[in-house]
Amino acid sequence: MRVRFLPGVGPKRSEQLARLGVERVYDLLYLFPRRYIDATNVVPIGSLRSGAREVAVLGKVVSAREITGRGGRKLGFEALLEDGSGRISCSFFGRAFLSGIIRKDQRWLVFGDVRRYRGKLQLNPVEYEQADDPAGDGSKPGCVLTVYPSTEGLGQKTLRKLVGSALDAGEKLVEHLPESLRARFFLPERNEALQAVHRPRSLTEASAGRRALAFDELFYLELMLLGRKYHVGQAARVRPYKKHNHLLKKLAASLPFELTGAQKKVIREIDSDLTGPHPLSRLVQGDVGSGKTIVALIAALRAVENGYQAALMAPTEVLAGQHWRTLSRLLEPLEIEPALLLGKQGAAVKREQAARIASGEARIAVGTHALIQQGVEFRNLGLAIIDEQHRFGVNQRLSLRSKGRDTDCLVMTATPIPRSLALTLYGDLDVSVIDELPAGRKPVNTHVVPRRKRAEMERFVAGRVAAGEQAYVVCPRIEDDQQSELAAAEAVFEHYSGKVFPDRKVVLLHGRMKSGDKEAAMAAFESGEAPVLVGTTVIEVGIDVERATVIVIEGAERFGLSQLHQLRGRVGRGELESWCLFLPGAQAGADSLGRLEILASTTDGFKISEEDLRLRGPGDFFGRRQSGLPELRCADLIEDYPLLVEARECARGILSDDPYLESEPNRPLRRELIRRFHNRVGFLKVG
């Protein structure tokens, strides 16, 4: 049923609800409270002390008045509350409109923090409800109040009333969890859980309801991921691989470095998959600078040795170009010339490279999304390698894989992924971790630089450049405003080229430059002709310049922790001592500075990623929402990690006995799985 058919919902209210993603009654039922206010324990006013947090008081309004400033400007509203044990002033700053709502002799429940102001106790309200509930939204003093995500024009009372109407509309939802699972984990039935979440009598009841709904989400998610993994894992290998090693021996003889123990371990795992009975479907995680590219090259050569082609797809032209140059250099002794296919290449160059790929002349192809465009065909694609997978999404991974038949797939990421996110993003892949840096690498000195020390910092950077080293400067990130971000990049470039390095060549690099200009800027920096590169986050991955020892990140508080960690990985690529300098913006608050200090205190990418996920949530973990990330309305990937593991084990147990969910007891699971993930469950047989 559409939400507009609920009582009190007209066109304007429908528009307001649509901004919250609510169009159906179902959406309203699944608009979960972002938090609860426990008003079950009302505190006597006379017992309040300064510093008390999140207390609930119930009292009668003794007096009420607007707070005005100079010239009669309305600053807020103040009410004096009394409950027999004492009185306290409630100050509503910026909410002068309450003078028409809160009146003398009314009884109000007020929830907030207590402080001392001008010698008297004062309550700063977070939430407030009239005790007599004239709005009829179902809330009562002494209960648990729900606090929903809101938008302009939709207050908490209105939302509670609308959700109450949805609960009472008689539209009962079908239960999708088997009774055996609910009994095993003591989970209430779905409709009962929704009542508990939206109309809890206690925080314990609300928690139990939320747990049931979260388990439902996580169980079906893991059923889908493990079903896909089981299907791939049980499929018989169509492409036979043998360890010929003639190309790999040549490569080993020409490498100027020794592989680390971690690299060798991951290579053995990949080899075991490639020469085993089932297709390769593996994620390789490795911190910045851990040497994933050479691991990918060795896997690609294994495919080439067996007569197949390999393709490496990267998310940006800069990274694809860097991979192509690295592979070209390493493959030169083997007389293999990789193809490079980019979206912004000229038509003639594209045709030439596509023809090399289609004919099989190009045994290894490197490119961006251009590799998966229509018209690009491979003669015999055996191995698909996707770098920085989180920037693509599941469908693009499958698109590259579909360019061949029964193609093996290797996924790489330099962004350490928290355990819970790995199970939801990559739960259908086996996982390998390169957890060792090459010998000789030194940890990067990381510092948060106060604004007042900017000039001192710039003199330090100039000194490193004068010593023959190189520096990156990263421009502030401006969310969803490319024009402003480019303007900021131009301003930062002008500052460093005109004032900090007037006698040095400084180059600018950003994503909207023409391909030729990007290549020229990169070539100047890589050769050392330009010792300073000013850029946006296009430099986040793939640029590898050993003499780059300093990276300055302007407006560092605008970036996520994991992205900052990635940027830090652009330096410390050689044996020289290196520095990462965070320069916060003028408006950076204490919380933002605290986040930066976390990064300055550790180089453990997995620890950083867990903290980043906790701070920003899964949707924005990678800087933007990803098509491969399932939407979770109720479950929390950090708080519910133990529940996620339980749900995964339940799904695994069911699929091990019935991988296609064909038995009569599992048919309802199968139908629900197709309904929720219709475009991701191709492994299920039709019927």
Side-chain angles (χ1 to χ4, degrees), residues 543-605:
I543 299 178
D544 189 357
V545 178
E546 283 195 13
R547 295 201 65 79
T549 60
V550 182
I551 183 166
V552 176
I553 303 174
E554 300 260 356
E557 79 283 357
R558 294 177 179 269
F559 299 86
L561 294 184
S562 292
Q563 195 171 34
L564 289 171
H565 182 58
Q566 279 271 44
L567 290 166
R568 176 167 59 181
R570 295 308 99 211
V571 296
R573 312 291 289 189
E575 296 184 0
L576 295 171
E577 190 170 9
S578 298
W579 291 266
C580 176
L581 306 173
F582 298 137
L583 188 65
Q587 304 302 316
D591 288 347
S592 297
L593 295 176
R595 288 173 56 245
L596 296 178
E597 290 293 351
I598 291 170
L599 198 60
S601 68
T602 181
T603 57
D604 184 336

Side-chain angles (χ1 to χ4, degrees), residues 28 114 133 230 269 311 350 361 401 418 454 458 609 636:
L28 197 53
V114 182
D133 189 28
Y230 185 91
E269 290 169 346
K350 272 188 187 177
E361 176 197 337
R401 221 171 170 166
R454 180 183 187 114
E458 290 173 349
S609 71
D636 182 295

Side-chain angles (χ1 to χ4, degrees), residues 523-541:
F525 187 67
E526 288 178 332
S527 68
E529 176 193 351
V532 181
L533 185 151
V534 176
T536 57
T537 52
V538 71
I539 74 164
E540 181 182 347
V541 290

Side-chain angles (χ1 to χ4, degrees), residues 2 53 97 158 169 191 288 334 429 438 462 464 510 554-555 641 659:
R2 310 297 291 185
R53 295 181 56 80
F97 66 90
T158 302
N191 291 288
V288 285
L334 282 65
L429 302 175
R464 301 321 310 158
H510 60 72
E554 300 260 356
Y641 181 73

